[in-house]
Amino acid sequence: MNAPATETRKFEAEVAQVLHLVTHSLYSHKEIFLRELISNASDACDKLRFESIANPALSAGDSELHIDVSWDPDARTVTVRDNGIGMTRDEVVANIGTIASSGTKRFLEAMSGEQKADARLIGQFGVGFYSAFVVADKVTVITRRADAPAGEGVKWESDGKGEYSLESVEQAERGTSVILHLKADEDEFLKRWQLRSLITRYSDHVAFPIRMPTEKDDKPTDEFETINAASALWTKPKSEISDEDYQSFYKSLGHDFNDALAWTHNRVEGSQSFTTLLYLPSQPPFDLMMGGRDERKGLKLYIKRVFIMDAAEELLPNYLRFVRGVVDADDLPLNVSREILQHNRQLERIKAACVKRVLDLIEKLARDEPEKFATFYKAFGNTLKEGISEDANNRERIAKLLRFASTKGEGTEQNVSLDDYIGRMAVGQDAIWYITADSYAAAFGSPQLEAFKAKGIEVLLMSDRIDEWMIGSLSEYEGKKLKSVAKGDVPLDEADKKKQEEATKEAEPLLKKLKDLLGDRVGEVKVSARLTDSPSCLALSDYEMAPHLARLLREAGQEMPDSKPTLEINPQHALVKRVETEADEAKARDLATLLLEQAEISAGAQLPDPAAFVQRMNRVLLG
């Protein structure tokens, strides 16, 4: 039985609730309605192009597929028209009315309790069309399917509240027109430049021409011009893209005046197909280290060349946030707004592929273009170090890319890899030794290095703020333990062990005297195996935080537990001998305290009373 020519249908109560969510909660930027409607139009053109393969008559007489966006300032309307596949009456009810399916009630039931406030949880209801009601108080759809006669056009109209109407109309051309009757306060969308800028931003790489009327005297004319590229650079074969093309695209993509340092362009085919074009910038943006996800604009996600979202953190982990580029998937499940991706295996596969491509690219720079790699590492080395903690699956690959200064390196230059270090290890050495400090000078001049320098053992000098935190997740590399020269016991051969035992036994009265003089300020006083020239240093337990990092955390307002350090001394040093022979208890206490305080300063700790330190130093100097 044929449907009546005109009918009015009421929305179910649940549908009205969903529409309320869509129009008031769902979209973070209301202009996204244009992206949604152009995306739907692009889908309609894609469907016609596909069906025309088997039935060429569908596109007969109008084979140039396109999407037209026009506006009428007098009628206060914006129209998005395509000459794609179009819809029958039943398809209008099914497609535009998807929101009225039985899933709607289940969705509303799921949106209970705290979830009610978070409309991002909406699943895949296919209702991007309803974003039109964000800016329009009435929407009209006029459509005819390509294989239907002109008399079977359909007009759908609704104010998005209680009901919608369906009417049979005469429609000479195939395809669909969506007419938005704008709300009173949405005048910005009646300006050609605004519509054009939105199309350029969101839909420039839609594969079909997007046309707009030219303008004369602030009024649209009957002449149309194409305003989008209608060709996505990343979809072209690499052989057809010049370096200049890649660089030009990068600059428009990342709003960067500088050339990209390197890029990787790949197409993955299979059960899930997608294209990636990823760039390494030559220098960091000013807000790279701000850390907030809202600032990230690393990757742009497209689905079939339709722009979906900026700042796609779902596609790259945070430690690779400096990467710029495009991911274009043939298909991905989105939620209703297209803004929040649903997490699933497809997404994880794309993310893993992106991470692999980026690390491959950085490794290639390190191997083949050391100068470019040095530029990259200077800009992004600290950010990359975050991956040691964040990405356990790729920890070994990331560690291989890290570079450090070293006691056998070239000054402050961070150019020694862990592989370089292992290649220079002495016979019998079973650990990679390092020291952390708040500057290169503090690391290189630390008294804790003295015994290692004397024995010719290389030590990595880590002076970036992230190093102490990063090294907590990097306990070993290529089977070699990473050990701090400031923590735990120093490895000794049998001869050295014997000397250490004898020195400790001989210094027992001195150690007791120092512990008595310093009281609760130290946990223990020991004879050091680390020192050869300096009088004292601090020694930490294997799990104790370095003093310079503890100081930074306190300055940042973090509560830090009080710890009693172990003071190590060099009994052969003249200053230590003065403590040993000093009979005046007050002077001996000053000397002992200075031994502790200079050890704390060398380790990057903050003195509890700097004024008292100065007075004490003056007393000893004048003593």
Side-chain angles (χ1 to χ4, degrees):
M1 181 178 176
N2 292 332
T6 304
E7 62 176 318
T8 299
R9 299 188 178 192
K10 286 188 176 293
F11 286 129
E12 296 177 7
E14 293 91 345
V15 175
Q17 288 178 259
V18 173
L19 273 172
H20 181 81
L21 278 170
V22 169
T23 55
H24 292 89
S25 305
L26 189 56
Y27 290 91
S28 55
H29 303 289
K30 59 186 178 182
E31 69 267 17
I32 287 174
F33 79 89
L34 192 58
R35 181 188 73 188
E36 292 297 318
L37 297 182
I38 290 175
S39 175
N40 290 345
S42 175
D43 289 345
C45 292
D46 268 328
K47 288 175 183 175
L48 180 66
R49 187 166 57 181
F50 178 74
E51 291 193 23
S52 293
I53 296 172
N55 185 6
L58 289 176
S59 57
D62 188 10
S63 60
E64 297 296 322
L65 298 172
H66 54 83
I67 301 163
D68 292 344
V69 178
S70 57
W71 76 103
D72 185 334
D74 297 326
R76 294 184 52 76
T77 60
V78 172
T79 301
V80 179
R81 159 140 189 93
D82 67 76
N83 60 345
I85 192 67
M87 292 180 283
T88 64
R89 189 185 188 101
D90 288 342
E91 286 173 334
V92 167
V93 174
N95 293 337
I96 301 182
T98 301
I99 198 166
S101 69
S102 59
T104 305
K105 189 170 183 178
R106 291 198 302 273
F107 156 70
L108 289 167
E109 289 170 353
M111 293 282 281
S112 59
E114 295 178 0
Q115 289 184 331
K116 277 188 176 178
D118 189 359
R120 294 178 304 172
L121 296 175
I122 295 176
Q124 204 173 352
F125 282 81
V127 294
F129 165 80
Y130 279 91
S131 64
F133 288 103
V134 175
V135 297
D137 52 21
K138 184 171 73 171
V139 177
T140 303
V141 177
I142 300 173
T143 185
R144 176 176 70 79
R145 204 178 196 283
D147 54 2
E152 292 187 11
V154 182
K155 179 180 178 181
W156 178 101
E157 194 167 75
S158 175
D159 60 6
K161 295 176 182 175
E163 58 191 26
Y164 63 90
S165 65
L166 283 171
E167 180 181 350
S168 297
V169 294
E170 188 78 18
Q171 177 67 9
E173 300 173 327
R174 71 163 190 266
T176 302
S177 296
V178 180
I179 305 159
L180 282 66
H181 305 265
L182 296 183
K183 296 176 182 176
D185 56 351
E186 302 297 351
D187 288 357
E188 62 181 299
F189 300 113
L190 292 172
K191 296 179 174 63
R192 186 180 194 274
W193 66 267
Q194 171 72 337
L195 294 172
R196 178 168 185 161
S197 68
L198 293 176
I199 293 167
T200 300
R201 178 181 177 190
Y202 289 114
S203 307
D204 196 45
H205 298 286
V206 168
F208 304 100
I210 300 174
R211 310 186 312 178
M212 288 188 74
T214 58
E215 194 173 44
K216 186 176 182 180
D217 300 326
D218 293 330
K219 298 283 187 178
T221 69
D222 294 332
E223 296 181 6
F224 280 79
E225 65 172 342
T226 299
I227 59 169
N228 68 321
S231 174
L233 177 108
W234 60 87
T235 63
K236 298 179 180 178
K238 286 188 277 188
S239 59
E240 296 179 11
I241 309 174
S242 67
D243 286 357
E244 290 76 16
D245 291 334
Y246 278 119
Q247 292 287 13
S248 176
F249 179 70
Y250 166 75
K251 289 174 183 176
S252 66
L253 181 76
H255 304 287
D256 196 342
F257 293 105
N258 303 295
D259 282 347
L261 193 64
W263 58 85
T264 176
H265 185 187
N266 299 281
R267 172 72 180 169
V268 176
E269 301 282 1
S271 57
Q272 182 187 8
S273 299
F274 56 93
T275 299
T276 60
L277 175 53
L278 309 172
Y279 290 90
L280 296 181
S282 56
Q283 60 186 35
F286 73 93
D287 61 349
L288 178 69
M289 300 310 293
M290 289 184 179
R293 288 190 178 270
D294 289 343
E295 286 79 25
R296 293 179 60 201
K297 295 178 175 61
L299 295 186
K300 293 180 181 292
L301 174 65
Y302 289 78
I303 295 182
K304 294 180 181 176
R305 297 170 301 282
V306 177
F307 176 64
I308 300 299
M309 64 190 292
D310 253 328
E313 61 264 24
E314 289 91 346
L315 299 175
L316 274 179
N318 195 46
Y319 74 93
L320 295 178
R321 61 186 176 274
F322 50 82
V323 176
R324 300 288 179 261
V326 166
V327 174
D328 189 350
D330 286 357
D331 185 38
L332 267 183
L334 301 171
N335 76 355
V336 110
S337 72
R338 294 177 183 262
E339 289 186 293
I340 308 299
L341 285 163
Q342 294 180 337
H343 289 277
N344 57 54
R345 291 181 182 176
Q346 289 172 275
L347 189 62
E348 289 303 317
R349 182 174 175 230
I350 292 177
K351 182 175 182 177
C354 288
V355 172
K356 180 181 183 302
R357 295 300 183 188
V358 172
L359 294 179
D360 286 347
L361 182 58
I362 301 172
E363 286 171 352
K364 185 175 184 295
L365 285 186
R367 182 178 63 249
D368 302 333
E369 300 183 80
E371 288 186 6
K372 280 190 175 182
F373 178 77
T375 299
F376 161 80
Y377 196 79
K378 186 175 181 180
F380 305 110
N382 277 355
T383 317
L384 189 65
K385 287 176 183 177
E386 296 173 18
I388 295 293
S389 177
E390 291 179 11
D391 190 354
N393 291 334
N394 289 296
R395 185 172 293 152
E396 196 87 357
R397 290 191 72 182
I398 298 167
K400 189 180 286 288
L401 294 167
L402 302 185
R403 299 293 184 268
F404 306 96
S406 160
T407 52
K408 292 188 178 179
E410 301 168 12
T412 60
E413 197 70 26
Q414 294 186 0
N415 58 6
V416 176
S417 70
L418 295 176
D419 288 331
D420 294 335
Y421 183 101
I422 291 174
R424 293 196 289 258
M425 284 172 63
V427 176
Q429 183 180 339
D430 61 355
I432 299 170
W433 291 98
Y434 69 89
I435 186 170
T436 60
D438 56 5
S439 69
Y440 170 83
F444 187 77
S446 172
Q448 294 158 331
L449 291 181
E450 291 174 358
F452 290 86
K453 288 179 179 177
K455 293 176 180 293
I457 298 174
E458 183 174 9
V459 178
L460 298 176
L461 308 174
M462 301 185 182
S463 56
D464 292 325
R465 288 189 171 186
I466 193 174
D467 287 336
E468 179 77 19
W469 174 79
M470 177 268 297
I471 209 72
S473 300
L474 188 63
S475 58
E476 67 174 60
Y477 177 77
E478 295 288 349
K480 307 290 185 184
K481 295 285 186 183
L482 274 80
K483 293 185 178 180
S484 170
V485 299
K487 295 182 179 181
D489 295 323
V490 176
L492 301 171
D493 57 28
E494 289 304 317
D496 286 336
K497 281 182 184 177
K498 191 171 182 180
K499 286 181 186 178
Q500 180 77 1
E501 289 169 1
E502 290 172 354
T504 300
K505 188 172 184 180
E506 187 177 333
E508 278 181 1
L510 172 61
L511 298 177
K512 183 178 186 306
K513 182 178 182 179
L514 284 167
K515 181 66 176 79
D516 291 341
L517 290 168
L518 294 170
D520 289 341
R521 286 195 62 178
V522 294
E524 189 179 0
V525 183
K526 297 168 62 176
V527 172
S528 180
R530 293 174 170 85
L531 300 173
T532 59
D533 301 317
S534 300
S536 62
C537 71
L538 294 186
L540 308 174
S541 69
D542 286 334
Y543 303 105
E544 198 170 350
M545 187 179 296
H548 71 276
L549 181 59
R551 187 191 77 236
L552 289 172
L553 291 174
R554 284 193 190 95
E555 290 172 355
Q558 297 289 324
E559 290 284 338
M560 299 302 298
D562 290 329
S563 62
K564 295 180 180 179
T566 295
L567 178 66
E568 291 193 352
I569 60 163
N570 175 6
Q572 304 307 313
H573 195 277
L575 186 57
V576 178
K577 287 183 179 295
R578 272 190 66 185
V579 180
E580 189 174 18
T581 57
E582 180 59 65
D584 186 308
E585 185 174 341
K587 290 182 179 179
R589 181 169 283 105
D590 277 348
L591 289 166
T593 306
L594 285 175
L595 283 176
L596 173 61
E597 288 174 333
Q598 64 177 261
E600 289 175 332
I601 292 170
S602 296
Q606 189 171 21
L607 295 181
D609 190 347
F613 167 75
V614 173
Q615 294 167 4
R616 191 176 300 112
M617 178 68 75
N618 290 340
R619 286 197 300 269
V620 169
L621 290 172
L622 295 172

